[in-house]
Amino acid sequence: MELQQYIQIVKRYWRSALATFLACIALAAIWTLVQKPVYSSEASLYLSVDSGGTPGELSQGATYAERQVKSFIAVAKTSAVLQPVIADLGLDATPNELASRVTVTSPTATSIIDISVSDEDPVQAAAIANAVSGSLAEKVLELVPPGPDGNRLVLATEIEPALPSASPTSPRPAMNLVLGALLGALLGVGQALVRQLLDTRLRTSDDVEDVTDAPVLGVIGHTDETPARATDAQGTHWANQEAYRRLRTNVGFLGLGGERRPSIVMTSSIEAEGKTQTAIQLARVMAQAGESVLLVDADLRRPQVAARLGVDSEFGLSDVLTSRGSFEEAVIDVYPGYFAVLPAGTVPPNPSELLGSDAMSHLLSALERRYDHVIFDAPPLLPVTDSVVLASQTGGAIMVARSGKVKRPEFEAAQELLEAGSVSLLGVVLNDVPARISGYGSYYAEYGSHGKKVPTKA
């Protein structure tokens, strides 16, 4: 995955990414506020060895002292050292509890022991550190045997007493907030990537191309027709008109290099993907180009074409197929000579049988001879088989996929139905694509503001 794809994913889920980022910062701030301030103080001891005056003896003494340092680091946190401290300072703690607040270290290759104590009271922290230092020095005298002359071979000398700290060592607000911000950024991006992996909805042309070999014939942008967005919607509508013209051009190219029948079925995988609106707009732009177009409402279950165009739908395709009337009586000229509509007519009890009948086959042959283009608005593929039955008799099918609605398994299942019915999938129209995904809306809107209005025949 390229960097640009990661950026697009974060842009797609920027709200949840930002919410995660701010939540982590807020949690870090709350954690900082609820924590009690803890102060640390440090005292230092130096272990010296009485090893004689020759260079060799001094070297052996230094090596011996370094070895002793490791031993006394462990001794410093034992009850033998800490119990006297508890008794002297009157602490309400056990040696184990006090040991958890004591940290004993030694710089590498030195004979120095650093004793650090943490406490909510800075004065108490310094007093405990000094008391532990003194108790350890006494314990050194007890544990190290005297030399032949009675002198102590190892002495522990306090070289730096502990002082009360002016500022707490924890919590650290700045560090906590920075860590919270880093964690929030990682989790924000991470949840966006996880959502992208789990989200199987088709959103972009790339998503469509990943699931089908059929070409993407058009990308139609989302329009917001609310009054508050009227000005923006005008530019978007203009951009979409250009998108429909590009769709018309691409449909025209489908017939190059071989014989193509002038009839196509406009369908979709599931309901509410915009197939009817796409069919209407495609028919209109074809008519505007001077071609004769017939739009047939072949959705005999839930017809919508007549209502969208505001024409009578009482008599139509189903009535022609059942010989209740002629085609000439049912067809409606929207743009005489260019754009005609054949409504669905009476809703029959057997739509699939009608669409697959000999009467439909004969009617289709007559329509293909009469019009340059015959566009069928058919039902979705997954709920019913009507579209497959009809499309098997035509030049092929175009699937409309609404961005962010149809899922990959649904689209693939619809494709399999077309393949099982020996239907040629001519291409896909990606519909209702947000401008932030498509990227074409702003370009067309700017271009259209300087260009001339395209004349229509309406």
Side-chain angles (χ1 to χ4, degrees), residues 105-145:
T105 59
S106 175
T108 304
T110 68
S111 299
I112 298 175
I113 298 178
D114 294 324
I115 301 171
S116 177
V117 177
S118 299
D119 195 272
E120 296 177 3
D121 184 351
V123 176
Q124 181 85 314
I128 295 174
N130 289 325
V132 173
S133 175
S135 179
L136 178 59
E138 294 178 0
K139 187 57 61 177
V140 169
L141 294 178
E142 295 178 9
L143 295 177
V144 177

Side-chain angles (χ1 to χ4, degrees), residues 25 37 39 63 100 115 126 133 153 172 184 188 201 212 264 279 296-297 447:
I25 293 180
Y39 298 83
T63 302
S100 64
I115 301 171
S133 175
L153 296 177
R172 298 180 180 179
R201 290 176 291 180
T212 181
I264 56 175
V296 182
D297 192 346
Y447 182 83

Side-chain angles (χ1 to χ4, degrees), residues 44-282:
S44 298
L45 288 176
Y46 177 75
L47 294 184
S48 59
V49 178
D50 183 9
S51 55
T54 66
E57 292 175 340
L58 290 174
S59 176
Q60 293 177 359
T63 302
Y64 176 75
E66 291 180 19
R67 290 200 303 266
Q68 293 301 307
V69 165
K70 296 180 181 179
S71 300
F72 288 118
I73 287 177
V75 172
K77 299 183 71 172
T78 62
S79 59
V81 173
L82 298 181
Q83 188 61 52
V85 174
I86 294 173
D88 291 344
L89 299 179
L91 301 178
D92 184 16
T94 64
N96 288 335
E97 292 172 346
L98 181 58
S100 64
R101 294 153 52 190
V102 176
T103 303
V104 185
T105 59
S106 175
T108 304
T110 68
S111 299
I112 298 175
I113 298 178
D114 294 324
I115 301 171
S116 177
V117 177
S118 299
D119 195 272
E120 296 177 3
D121 184 351
V123 176
Q124 181 85 314
I128 295 174
N130 289 325
V132 173
S133 175
S135 179
L136 178 59
E138 294 178 0
K139 187 57 61 177
V140 169
L141 294 178
E142 295 178 9
L143 295 177
V144 177
D149 55 359
N151 295 329
R152 296 294 178 179
L153 296 177
V154 179
L155 294 177
T157 306
E158 187 178 58
I159 57 175
E160 186 175 351
L163 299 175
S165 176
S167 58
T169 55
S170 68
R172 298 180 180 179
M175 179 177 292
N176 290 349
L177 292 177
V178 169
L179 292 176
L182 291 175
L183 180 61
L186 291 175
L187 292 179
V189 173
Q191 64 86 28
L193 294 176
V194 171
R195 291 181 64 184
Q196 173 67 16
L197 292 174
L198 297 178
D199 187 0
T200 61
R201 290 176 291 180
L202 303 182
R203 298 178 182 273
T204 67
S205 298
D206 291 338
D207 295 338
V208 175
E209 292 171 355
D210 288 340
V211 296
T212 181
D213 294 329
V216 177
L217 300 175
V219 178
I220 313 300
H222 171 77
T223 57
D224 188 347
E225 299 180 354
T226 58
R229 297 290 302 277
T231 303
D232 294 339
Q234 291 176 2
T236 306
H237 284 307
W238 196 94
N240 281 347
Q241 288 302 312
E242 285 300 308
Y244 285 121
R245 293 187 185 98
R246 176 172 293 185
L247 172 60
R248 175 194 65 197
T249 301
N250 290 336
V251 170
F253 278 120
L254 293 175
L256 297 181
E259 183 181 355
R260 180 182 69 84
R261 298 175 62 178
S263 58
I264 56 175
V265 170
M266 195 72 67
T267 185
S268 60
S269 303
I270 56 177
E271 296 179 332
E273 294 198 69
K275 62 177 181 58
T276 300
Q277 183 65 19
T278 303
I280 292 173
Q281 293 298 333
L282 177 59

Side-chain angles (χ1 to χ4, degrees), residues 288-310:
Q288 290 171 7
E291 299 174 292
S292 60
V293 184
L294 174 65
L295 175 60
V296 182
D297 192 346
D299 190 343
L300 301 182
R301 300 172 188 271
R302 296 181 180 179
Q304 299 183 35
V305 172
R308 297 281 184 95
L309 294 175

Side-chain angles (χ1 to χ4, degrees), residues 329-406:
E329 294 174 327
V331 70
I332 300 173
D333 285 327
V334 179
Y335 305 148
Y338 295 99
F339 183 17
V341 174
L342 179 60
T346 305
V347 176
N350 55 343
S352 296
E353 288 77 3
L354 276 182
L355 294 176
S357 65
D358 292 338
M360 183 70 233
S361 179
H362 294 317
L363 176 63
L364 177 60
S365 298
L367 297 180
E368 289 180 336
R369 292 192 298 268
R370 184 169 180 173
Y371 293 92
D372 295 328
H373 300 281
V374 181
I375 301 174
F376 291 91
D377 176 35
L381 289 161
L382 295 184
V384 293
T385 61
D386 300 11
S387 293
V388 177
V389 172
L390 177 61
S392 63
Q393 307 174 65
T394 67
I398 294 177
M399 288 181 60
V400 177
R402 184 179 292 274
S403 174
K405 180 176 178 64
V406 62

